[in-house]
Amino acid sequence: MAYVTSRPPVPSRLNNFDVLRLGAALLVVGTHSFAVVAQPEPASILDASRGTWGHFGVLIFFSISGYLIAQSWQRDPLAGRYMLKRASRIFPALAVMTVITAAVFGPLTTDVTLREYVASPNTWLYPIVKTALFVPGNVDPPGIFHAVPYDGVNPSLWTLPVEFTCYTVLMIVLLTRVPPLVATIALTVGATALSEPALWAATPLAGLTANALFSQSILVMATFFGGAALYLARARIPLHAGVAALALIALVLVGFTPWGGLAVPFLMPYVVLSAALALPVLPLGRLRGWDLSYAVYLYGFPVQQYVVHLTQTDSALVVFILATVALIPIAALSWRYVEKPALEWGRRRLRRVAEATA
């Protein structure tokens, strides 16, 4: 993996990306453990945008994603091949999860009859709409999880359309004649400014930027572009653990100011990527290369809802422990039998196309 740190580079996969992503996914699960029992989600002092620990986990995801996606583009800057790689990572596991949600969690938890459940168009539309990353009105299967405090199926999926938008925007910009580093820095600055409602309070954009989900989405996009810029600037901005510690302290301090969110896309990726590439590599043994984070993230909320449905607990700690115990084997199965085969299929497809072209 090409990058610059204060130490010699380590071979591909000998990094902390998988650990950080799994930790980020578990932060999301931990935060949502409060939501599913109708308790306030705890805020993170490390998130200068004054978000929750779950939002902090999402920022970790997007920091890493921006860096690795920019690396992927530079290694193979062809639009069709690039999008095939992205699609083979995102869609197969998402499709399987949405089908399991509708076909398994739905019948087990719905408060309508099985006949009504099967006859509802939403039962069949849910996997299609969610896998296609559409964000229309409510298409949740009827009656699902209505008996638990949080009436919703899987609100975590809001990040996936944002992520795919980042992939697309980055590709389009890098296809232009604008120097890649200049382009990604401009995207980071522009998205950061757009994410701060106070900057637009007296403009026609005030109503749009005041929407919490919009501002949150734009901020994580800015963090993605910040990670991409760090990859493109890796020869100029080396990753260093000591500098990252100072950046983390700065993040905490600016979080106490009204403008803390403006620092996130510039400091957060540096902290996260330094932890991935400039710190000692954590020993994972045979688990190295198993990326469990995506499935933990995908299945987290419905599994937590099902835990509450079964136990009727009002303890966030109980939900977190039981859900995590269930999610790790689910994620391992998803990686072994869905995600990894899909990625291998994508690589084989690209090799066949390259051979045919040659």
Side-chain angles (χ1 to χ4, degrees):
M1 182 174 293
Y3 62 93
V4 176
T5 69
S6 58
R7 69 186 70 208
V10 293
S12 179
R13 304 303 306 191
L14 290 182
N15 52 58
N16 294 317
F17 281 128
D18 289 344
V19 173
L20 285 171
R21 284 186 291 221
L22 180 57
L26 291 175
L27 280 177
V28 174
V29 172
T31 301
H32 288 166
S33 296
F34 290 85
V36 297
V37 293
Q39 295 179 20
E41 297 181 11
S44 168
I45 192 174
L46 300 181
D47 185 352
S49 64
R50 301 172 296 281
T52 65
W53 282 104
H55 185 248
F56 184 72
V58 171
L59 292 172
I60 293 175
F61 276 128
F62 276 75
S63 298
I64 293 173
S65 182
Y67 186 93
L68 295 180
I69 297 304
Q71 180 187 72
S72 176
W73 173 264
Q74 283 223 320
R75 287 179 172 179
D76 189 7
L78 295 174
R81 295 169 63 87
Y82 170 89
M83 293 307 291
L84 179 59
K85 293 174 188 175
R86 308 288 77 78
S88 63
R89 185 67 185 103
I90 292 289
F91 293 113
L94 176 60
V96 172
M97 184 278 297
T98 56
V99 169
I100 289 175
T101 299
V104 178
F105 287 120
L108 289 174
T109 64
T110 184
D111 60 5
V112 302
T113 67
L114 185 58
R115 180 185 294 273
E116 292 173 318
Y117 184 83
V118 173
S120 171
N122 279 15
T123 301
W124 305 96
L125 284 174
Y126 180 82
I128 298 170
V129 169
K130 293 301 181 182
T131 302
L133 303 182
F134 290 157
V135 191
N138 180 27
V139 292
D140 291 348
I144 184 171
F145 294 130
H146 280 188
V148 297
Y150 192 101
D151 186 9
V153 178
N154 200 343
S156 298
L157 300 184
W158 72 269
T159 63
L160 297 184
V162 178
E163 176 93 1
F164 212 78
T165 299
C166 288
Y167 298 161
T168 306
V169 170
L170 184 64
M171 179 191 71
I172 292 171
V173 168
L174 294 180
L175 282 171
T176 68
R177 295 180 179 271
V178 179
L181 181 56
V182 173
T184 51
I185 291 175
L187 285 172
T188 306
V189 172
T192 302
L194 192 58
S195 71
E196 182 51 63
L199 292 176
W200 306 96
T203 73
L205 292 176
L208 179 64
T209 58
N211 180 283
L213 183 58
F214 174 84
S215 293
Q216 191 177 34
S217 300
I218 298 299
L219 181 63
V220 297
M221 290 179 71
T223 306
F224 174 96
F225 297 130
L230 267 181
Y231 175 76
L232 296 169
R234 64 197 183 280
R236 300 178 178 88
I237 307 178
L239 300 174
H240 190 280
V243 177
L246 295 176
L248 184 59
I249 293 171
L251 267 178
V252 173
L253 294 178
V254 298
F256 293 101
T257 72
W259 307 98
L262 296 177
V264 169
F266 303 96
L267 297 180
M268 183 76 179
Y270 190 90
V271 172
V272 172
L273 294 166
S274 295
L277 298 170
L279 290 181
V281 178
L282 296 175
L284 296 179
R286 297 183 65 180
L287 289 179
R288 184 164 302 284
W290 285 62
D291 183 3
L292 307 183
S293 61
Y294 186 42
V296 168
Y297 187 83
L298 287 180
Y299 289 90
F301 211 95
V303 167
Q304 290 174 285
Q305 291 281 65
Y306 191 58
V307 166
V308 177
H309 176 84
L310 282 179
T311 65
Q312 296 300 302
T313 182
D314 61 357
S315 168
L317 180 60
V318 169
V319 173
F320 176 71
I321 293 172
L322 294 180
T324 301
V325 168
L327 283 168
I328 297 302
I330 290 173
L333 289 171
S334 176
W335 172 255
R336 177 65 181 82
Y337 295 106
V338 181
E339 298 166 58
K340 187 178 179 182
L343 290 170
E344 291 173 347
W345 174 87
R347 285 192 285 267
R348 288 195 302 270
R349 176 73 177 171
L350 291 176
R351 281 197 298 270
R352 285 198 295 268
V353 171
E355 290 167 359
T357 303

